[in-house]
Structures are given as structure tokens and as C-alpha cells.
Amino acid sequence: MPARRDSHSPSGKSLPERGLLLLIVLVLLQGSVLPLGAASSPDTTHNDYVDNPQEKEENYTKKAFPVLTLNYQYIQAPFEISLWILLASLMKLGFHMIPRLSSIVPESCLLITVGLLVGGLIKLAGEDVPPVLDSRLFFLCLLPPIILDAGYFLPIRPFMENLGTILMFAVVGTLWNAFFIGGLLYAVCQIQPANPSILHKIELLPCLLFGSIISAVDPVAVLAVFEEIHINELLHILVFGESLLNDAVTVVLYHLFEEYTRAGTVTVLDCFLGIISFLVVSIGGVLVGVIYGLLAAFTSRFTSHVRVIEPLFVFVYAYMAYLSAEVFHLSGIMALIACGATMRPYVEANISHKSHTTVKYFLKMWSSVSETLIFIFLGVATVDGPHHWNWTFVTVTVLLCLVSRVIGVVGLTYVINKFRIVKLTTKDQFIIAYGGLRGAIAFSLGFLLKKNLFPMREMFLTAIITVVFFTVFVQGMTIQPLVELLAVKKKQEAKRTINEEIHTQFLDHLLTGIEDICGHYGHHHWKDKLNRFNKKYVKKCLIAGERSKEPQLIAFYHKMEFKQAIEMVESGGGFKLPSAMPSTVSMQNIQPKKPPPAKPAEKAPSQLTKGREEEIRKILRSNLQRTRLRLRSYNRHTLVADPFEDGFDDLLIKKQKMIELEKKIKDMNNYLTVPAAPPDSPTMCRARLSSDPQSYRAKPESDSVPTFQVDLASPQSPDSVNVMDEFRRAGQQRGGERREEDQGLMMRPHKTGEGADGKDPQKLTRCLSDPGPGADEEEEDQPFLA
Amino acid sequence: MGAFQSSPGQPEYVDLKEKTGFSISQIRVLHTRFKLLGHNGETLKRDHFNSIPDLACNPIRSQIIEAFFDRRNFRQNGEGPVDEIHFEEFLMVMSHFKAPSPRMIEERESVRREKLRFIFNMHDTDDDGTITLEEYRHVIDELLSLTEDLGKDTAKDIADAAMREVASTSMAHMEPDEFFEGITFEHFLKLLKGFEIELKMNVHFSIMDTPTFCK
């Protein structure tokens, strides 16, 4: 994916890419050399400080004032952190510059390789590899951003619909994996023939512990790999949901086995307590998350005056949820997910558009950097860690992981399909089984093991790393071609249309109704009840102002309108039609069973062709000169359209549209704070210059069906009218509450051109003589009709 | 007890099973429900449906009830409304909400059509084969009917926008003198192409709770 499009030589390694590589190498060297050089300085400064009080009294020799000193110790920790982050980001950039690499090899593999290289470099330099994958660092700093990002943007609907399936895979599947792997490993370790090997010393409980560590599907790895293959939503949410929810199981099993390794045995009571603990851990985690989420939502209700810190609340509350859950050894991941998912609908209704964008981008940025760092550190820790390679153990582990995953998925699917309406096919099962990747969480958990309790810790770590490498490299690289080969359904990229939204709601109500008629209190019934409860009580509390009463359909509609308005503005109000409506159907066309009032001479080209654009450009440019002369004498009665009729009509339309647009956007302030007036495009300024403000007046309100009547007495250029039509329609899209003004747009070129808006005469008159402040900025910067 | 015995002979059920695709146990459960709703009468009328308390808070209640009395949904190529329905017709309507069995992948398209046809019929209240703007507006009005103090125009806007969308997806170029009469079934299919309705429009019939009593 070439990152640059400006003119550089297309040959393999162009200058800026070389520069980037050089930069990366420099950063690496700096990172490894500087600690070397600094190794000496800490001692000297420290000694100086210690000795100084004594020296002061005895012999204070005046040295020359040091112009330049080196004090690495002072900044060491932040410096190294920043260096790592910089390295990670540069790596990410680098990968996307190499054209075909990113499509063959998933990023995670590349990053691990880089980590290996860096670790190797550091080792070669003779330094101690910094203990980068320190468990505290990992669990408290690196993991939360990724999970929060996943939780905040979790697609709630498919998640909830498949919750039963996901829970089955997460809980039962992980339990099965843990016990299967642990038990069989123990058995294999015991069956070693005559020669007593180190394996004999491993007891059952450590094996089970190992099994529980290695059995959990890892969200980071799943995200990293699945993001690139774009499979359909169902499979994505199944595997991903499983990787998130199995955290509770992992936590409980880990603590359970760790606790009792010392004791050596596990009684039935302990198992029972373990089950209770599992419930506490998972439900407690979710509860903590929900509480913090509601707090965040409530806080965001009052932030309308200090919009700048809105994103901060989202992040801090979520992080607090995570930490609070970790205090009690509850599942921090589930807390984060619950917090993000809970607060999102309310927070998004309350915060401004800019804050929303900020939240989105910060989350994406942090999670991206975190993920990169995790993989690099995984590589570095591999080079570093004390390894103990034992062929049997490692190969058996890898094999068992694969086998148990497959058996688990197949078995569970068999049971699950009895309860699912839409069954999981074999292809689905294969992808789910194949997508069970292990990652850094397993490694960190293994790292946490204490050496005195687990003498074979190194062996465990080696095996874990091997499994992680295997899944990430082999499975990660091959899943993409397999998906293609098996023709698994891919994600649909289509934008959500309003019809789909309408029908989603309609279907919800329909299915709830059918369930009620059947007397079956199913899925839809409870969802409906929850929705009603939400609307009645919760939303009133948590959402500020008017938006609390807005039903979802309307919110969706306004959001869509707003997006299109932004799109329009960003495209310079030019000839680009709103993307959702690539055709020129107007409301006029949708009047069935009414005789056409008058046959309008509209013709409908689907897009304004390039030639047409050129023409209009020329006309508009020429208008500029001419109209400056005509400033005074305008009177709508004398307004004659014909000399440059085409361009003129366009100007009229554009101007009217821009005005409407501004009004709509001002209205939208209620919903999402947006700068009041979008910058005028040069087209519009020129349009204003060249037309008579007084010629626009709103037609008196009429409640009739919004028809667009055209007086045919005038010769109308087909295209201009059509464009007008299109803009009128576009204006109607933003109609909303301003519908009254839009109705009845009359166009009588011989007499007047009336626009729909007469409410801003000031603005218009101002434009005539002076484009106004807003206009100036745009005019110079943007090319005409960009 | 009405004319229908409490445990009718199997042949009737088998016959229904052929026609609708439900299993015997499902038919039995639905029959119990039918009798409960109709107070053990032989037919159901609209009032029986109206008396279901849970339906009261459903915004599109009247449309759902109408769907049960619409001959087009009885798969007998009839048209027009009826005033009362027998168990067979009840079952026919319910069969639209059956999940497609996984073996029916080839028939997925026809299942889709069938379900979308049901929804189309619900929208198209005057039986003319197209959903006009007015009818669509009515749909949206109903959907939003339970919201208080709604701006009257917003519903209209949404309907207009939706209608435009349909028109533009189905007919990219429109001559100005062409009129877009309404959404035909083909347009409707195209519109909801990505909607995967065969996966969504399903109700679980196999497990029924103890029937809740409607007064």
C-alpha cells in the first residue's frame, strides 16, 4: 500500500523511503547504544552527589563551568518508553511502504520478527534485554487500550443475538481445552519410558495450570489477524466475543490452580468454590463495568459547556473500571467491555461531534500502538527469556492445542445448533476452530508464574512461546488464503441505508408481536421490554436535553442527514451529488397516480459530465466580470436569465442550497455541535456576487405535497433545471423542521428566480458588495470548483 | 369445547405439516395457543388479537393483526381481507416465520422471497402490488406512533428520503415525465438485498412457555 502519492520516483526504493529506513536504523542504534554509554554516567553523577557534601568542606576545586553535560539517568525511563513507541510506529509505517508485504504476511508476524531482530541487536550489543514484557506493564498499560477499543466499538446487536453461542464457546470451550490439554499433557509426561526425564517431575496441577494458560483464545491476536481478512460479521463476532469473554474463565482457573499447587490436591469443595468464584468474577466484572459506564454517561450529560474534556471522561472512567475490577481480581477485560458498551449510546448522544471523533481516533491510535508494541515485545522477550527446550513437551503441546480446539468446536457446535435458529455450518466451524489464536496474554500469564513453585517455568514459557508463534505465524498467515479458498462469506461493506434501518425496526416490532401472539416470551420479547425500559427511564436520566426523547429511527435519520451535509460541505458544495443518491430522482417523480401538473422539460443526466462542468465553469468565470458592473441596477422584475442562462440557474441553485445547508447545519447544533457556518466554497461566493439577493424570497408556506412546479413559459435549459431539482431534493433531504420553507419552489426566470429562503436578506446583501469574512478564506485557498 | 377436539386425529396434523412445514409438536403447541386465543372457538377474529395485552404496546400492532387476516398470506393466491381465520390459516401465516433449515441453502432465495413478500404485503395495504408514498409514510408513522411530541414533518421526511432511496436504487435514470408509481416487489427485493432477512425473520417455535393467558 503505497503511502505517498505525491510525485516521487516510482522505482523500488525512493528517496523518502530510504530516509525512513535510515531513520529507523538510527533509532535502533540510539536505543541500544545510549544505554551503553550511559552506563558509566549514573555512577559518576551519583558519586558526585554523594561525595559532594564531604568534598565541600575539604577540597572544593573549582572546575570549569560545564557547558554541556550528559545526564541520561534523569530521563532514562520516559526516554526508553518513547523510543519504543517511536520504533513501533515507524515499523508500522515501514511495512505499509513495502508494497506487497502487507498483503501476504499479517502485520503481527512482521512485528514479532522485528521484535526478534531488535532483541537480537540488543543482545549482540552486550546489553541486558530490558524486561519489556513485564506483566504489570502488559496488563496495566498495554492491554487496556486494545480492549477498550474493542468494547467501545463492539457491535452490540450481533453480539447480543449470539450471546448464548459466544458464552458456550468461551466458558465451556475454554474449560474443555484447559482440562483436555492439561490432563493429556500430564499423561504424556508420565508415560516416558525407561530413562527418567525431567518430565516426570511435573505434577498434575501444574499441568492443568499450564493447560488453562494456554487454552485461552487471545483477543489481541484475534483482532490483529481477523481485522485483515474481513470475514462476515457472524464469524467475527463469534471468535472475537469468545476471546473477550473467556478472560473470566482464565482468571479463575489460573488462580485456582496456582493457589492449590502448593497444596497439591484439589477437593470437591475447592471445585465448587471455583465455580462460585467464576460467577463472581464474571458477573462482578460486568457489574463494575456497567456502573462505571453509567457514571460516565451521566457525567457526559453535563459537559455541554466544557466540550474539550469530554473524551477524557470516556477514557478515564473506562480505565478506572478496569483497575477497580483488577483490585478484586475480577475480570478486568469484561469490566472494560461492559463499560464501553454501556456508555456508548448515551455518551454519543451527549457529546459533540468533535469529541466523538476525538474519542474514536484516540482509541484507535492507542490500541494500534499497543498492539504493535505487544508484538514487538513478544519478539524481544523471546530472544531474552531463559528457555528450556524439550522436544516432547513442546510438540505435544502444540498438537494438543490444535486437536482440543477442533474437538471442542465441533462438539460444542453440535450442541449449540440445537438451540440456534440459524445453524453453524461446517465452514463456519472450521473458521472458528482455525481462528483460535493464542497470544501475548498467555505469555504474560506464564511469565507471572513464580519460579519456586514451578520449577519447570522455563519449559512452560518455551512451550507457550512456541504455541503463540505457531498460531500467529502459521495460522495467521494461512487463514487469509483459506478464507478465499473456502469461499467464506465476507463482510458486507455497504453503508446502512435508511430503508434498512426502517426495516430493522419494523422487523423487531413484528417479531415481538408474533412472539406475543404465540405466547412465547422469547428473545425479542425481552429485548423489546429492555428497550422500553431504556427509553422510559434510563435515557431520561443519562441523555441531556431533547435528545433523550428521540426515537432511534429519527436519530439515525438525523445522523445520516448530518453526514451528508458534511459531505456536501466538504466537497465544496460542488457538483458532486450526495453519495447515497447517485441518481436524479426527485420528489417530483414520486407522485404516483397524479396527473403531472405540467410537463416539466427536465431531462435527467445522471451526473454532470466533465464537459458540462467545464462549460459551467467558463460561464461562471465570465459572469464574474460582467456582474460586477451590474451591481446597482438589479431588480427582480428586470432579471433576465437568458444571456448566460445555464450558469445563472446553477448559481441560483447553489446559492440557495448553500443557504439552506447553513441553516440546516445551524439546526444541527441541537444535535451535534458543529461550527455554525461552513466555509463558503468559492462557487458560492461567486454565485452570490453574481446574483441579486432580493430575487430570493420564500414562497408562502403551503402544506401541499411538495411539488416542484416549473413555469414552462420560459425556455429553460434542461440541465439547469435539473440541477436545481437535484439541489432542491438535496435541500429537502435536510428538510426536517424547515420543511415549510422548502415547499413550492417556483421558478419563473422571466420574472424572478425565487429561492426558498428569504430569511437572511442581510447575509445576501452583504455578499453582493463584499463576500464577507467567511468567504475570503476559502476563495484564495481552494481552486475553483475543487 | 369447540368443534375441534383437544387432541385431533393425527391425519389433520399430518396434512398441515405437509402444507406448512411445521413439525407435529409445533403444530400441537400452536393449536393450543390458537384455542386459547380464540376461547376455544373455531375461528379467530380481530378482537381476539386485540385482547392480547402484550400487543398493546407494539406500535405496529394493527398492521400485524391485519397481516393475519390478509388472504395474500394464506398462500392460496387469494386477495383481500377476511374477517375470521381458521387454524389452518393461522398456521399458514405463522409459517412465514419459520427458520430455514440448513439443508435448504439452495432454497434460500425462495425463502427470502417468501419472507420479503410477507413484509411487502404488510406495507401494501390496498393490495395493488406497489407500495406508494402514502402507504410508506403510513408505515413510518406507525413505527413512530408511540413517540410523544414528534414533529409532524419528521416522519414525512424520513418517508420521503426512504422513498427516494428506493427509487434511486431501482431506477438510476428517470425521465422527468416518468413517474415512480411505488415500490414494486422487485424493487423491494433489490432494496433489502443486503438485509439477510432469511436469517433474521425467525421466531423460535420449538420451545413454548406455558401459555400466558390473555383475558
Side-chain angles (χ1 to χ4, degrees), chain A residues 81-326:
Chain A
I81 295 174
S82 312
L83 210 58
W84 279 112
I85 297 180
L86 193 60
L87 176 71
S89 316
L90 286 173
M91 283 299 132
K92 242 180 138 74
L93 279 184
F95 291 147
H96 288 282
M97 287 201 165
I98 306 175
R100 291 210 31 237
L101 195 60
S102 44
S103 54
I104 307 177
V105 186
E107 223 173 70
S108 39
C109 305
L110 292 170
L111 290 170
I112 294 186
T113 321
V114 167
L116 287 171
L117 284 173
V118 170
L121 268 177
I122 297 184
K123 257 226 158 100
L124 276 178
E127 273 288 305
D128 280 333
V129 175
V132 277
L133 213 49
D134 172 38
S135 292
R136 264 187 89 203
L137 175 71
F138 177 76
F139 280 112
L140 294 184
C141 298
L142 292 179
L143 192 60
I146 302 179
I147 305 294
L148 179 60
D149 179 38
Y152 194 78
F153 293 110
L154 193 69
I156 294 285
R157 184 173 264 264
F159 186 76
M160 286 300 169
E161 283 173 7
N162 294 298
L163 191 61
T165 314
I166 294 178
L167 277 175
M168 274 289 270
F169 278 124
V171 176
V172 180
T174 312
L175 278 174
W176 157 259
N177 277 345
F179 283 102
F180 186 77
I181 296 177
L184 276 189
L185 258 182
Y186 180 64
V188 166
C189 287
Q190 293 304 318
I191 66 168
Q192 276 294 310
N195 44 345
S197 82
I198 192 170
L199 294 176
H200 279 191
K201 290 202 227 116
I202 309 177
E203 297 165 32
L204 180 61
L205 277 175
C207 273
L208 286 176
L209 179 60
F210 177 73
S212 67
I213 294 178
I214 198 100
S215 64
V217 178
D218 186 84
V220 179
V222 165
L223 260 180
V225 169
F226 271 50
E227 222 169 53
E228 299 181 5
I229 62 178
H230 299 299
I231 52 171
N232 62 37
E233 203 179 45
L234 173 68
L235 286 179
H236 185 116
I237 199 75
L238 282 181
V239 182
F240 185 60
E242 179 196 344
S243 70
L244 290 174
L245 294 186
N246 65 17
D247 181 59
V249 181
T250 314
V251 163
V252 169
L253 281 179
Y254 183 82
H255 284 127
L256 185 70
F257 291 131
E258 197 190 23
E259 270 300 305
Y260 292 116
T261 304
R262 251 173 287 174
T265 54
V266 177
T267 65
V268 177
L269 179 65
D270 298 326
C271 288
F272 185 64
L273 286 177
I275 297 177
I276 307 251
S277 162
F278 166 71
L279 288 172
V280 167
V281 161
S282 49
I283 299 182
V286 171
L287 222 77
V288 168
V290 168
I291 293 176
Y292 273 98
L294 291 175
L295 275 177
F298 190 64
T299 314
S300 71
R301 186 182 165 176
F302 303 106
T303 56
S304 49
H305 298 292
V306 197
R307 293 268 180 208
V308 194
I309 57 172
E310 274 171 344
L312 195 67
F313 284 117
V314 172
F315 301 139
V316 173
Y317 272 113
Y319 196 49
M320 293 279 285
Y322 181 74
L323 295 176
S324 310
E326 287 289 331

Side-chain angles (χ1 to χ4, degrees), chain A residues 327-468:
Chain A
V327 163
F328 298 104
H329 278 301
L330 304 174
S331 168
I333 290 185
M334 292 180 87
L336 261 183
I337 301 285
C339 184
T342 315
M343 73 165 119
R344 184 178 180 202
Y346 309 110
V347 161
E348 284 200 345
N350 282 332
I351 64 177
S352 70
H353 182 64
K354 281 183 176 164
S355 299
H356 174 71
T357 312
T358 310
V359 166
K360 187 165 91 166
Y361 275 104
F362 261 91
L363 280 179
K364 295 286 176 206
M365 180 186 82
W366 271 328
S367 72
S368 173
V369 169
S370 260
E371 191 183 294
T372 317
L373 275 177
I374 287 179
F375 282 115
I376 292 187
F377 286 170
L378 208 55
V380 172
T382 310
V383 172
D384 170 37
H387 289 305
H388 179 101
W389 180 272
N390 183 311
W391 276 102
T392 328
F393 194 75
V394 171
T395 41
V396 169
T397 309
V398 173
L399 230 80
L400 279 180
C401 281
L402 287 173
V403 168
S404 82
R405 177 86 182 152
V406 170
I407 300 180
V409 168
V410 171
L412 279 175
T413 317
Y414 179 72
V415 176
I416 289 173
N417 270 345
K418 293 208 204 298
F419 297 99
R420 275 181 71 90
I421 303 181
V422 178
K423 322 275 183 208
L424 294 173
T425 65
T426 322
K427 252 193 256 175
D428 294 337
Q429 292 173 39
F430 178 75
I431 295 290
I432 295 175
Y434 207 68
L437 307 172
R438 285 21 174 215
I441 291 187
F443 183 75
S444 307
L445 284 177
F447 216 76
L448 272 176
L449 293 173
K450 296 200 237 322
K451 180 81 186 196
N452 49 355
L453 289 174
F454 300 95
M456 64 300 294
R457 176 176 175 263
E458 278 97 36
M459 200 164 64
F460 284 177
L461 278 178
T462 314
I464 294 177
I465 289 201
T466 315
V467 173
V468 170

Side-chain angles (χ1 to χ4, degrees), chain A residues 506-514, chain B residues 60 64 97 118-119 122:
Chain A
F506 187 82
L507 204 59
D508 273 343
H509 290 299
L510 176 63
L511 290 174
T512 311
I514 297 286
Chain B
I60 56 171
I64 298 179
F97 293 94
F118 185 84
I119 297 196
M122 281 183 81

Side-chain angles (χ1 to χ4, degrees), chain B residues 137-195:
Chain B
R137 269 193 197 145
H138 181 67
V139 170
I140 297 188
D141 275 337
E142 291 281 305
L143 265 184
L144 298 173
S145 60
L146 288 188
T147 333
E148 326 85 40
D149 70 15
L150 192 58
K152 176 170 94 79
D153 293 329
T154 318
K156 220 151 75 155
D157 283 335
I158 298 180
D160 290 341
M163 203 70 177
R164 270 196 299 270
E165 212 174 71
V166 179
S168 49
T169 50
S170 25
M171 293 142 83
H173 303 274
M174 295 242 338
E175 297 302 318
D177 47 355
E178 261 182 75
F179 279 96
F180 187 66
E181 297 287 325
I183 311 178
T184 65
F185 187 55
E186 293 307 318
H187 294 152
F188 197 66
L189 277 181
K190 201 163 150 203
L191 185 72
L192 294 180
K193 194 163 33 152
F195 200 53

Side-chain angles (χ1 to χ4, degrees), chain A residues 419 421 489 497 499 503 509 516-518 520-521 554 583 587 589 592-593 599 602 604 606 729 736 739, chain B residues 33 54 58 99 123 128 136 150 157 162 164-165 168 172-174 176-178 180-181 196 204 207 209:
Chain A
F419 297 99
I421 303 181
K489 218 164 20 146
T497 65
N499 274 298
H503 281 97
H509 290 299
D516 290 334
I517 293 178
C518 288
H520 168 50
Y521 278 178
I554 299 190
S583 76
M587 281 318 294
N589 293 101
K593 302 182 181 159
K599 231 168 175 343
E602 312 165 35
S606 55
R729 171 176 46 83
R739 169 53 64 99
Chain B
R33 182 69 183 169
D54 293 315
N58 198 320
H123 292 330
D128 63 352
Y136 213 40
L150 192 58
D157 283 335
R164 270 196 299 270
E165 212 174 71
S168 49
H173 303 274
M174 295 242 338
D177 47 355
E178 261 182 75
F180 187 66
E181 297 287 325
E196 290 197 335
H204 240 147
I207 314 162
D209 305 318

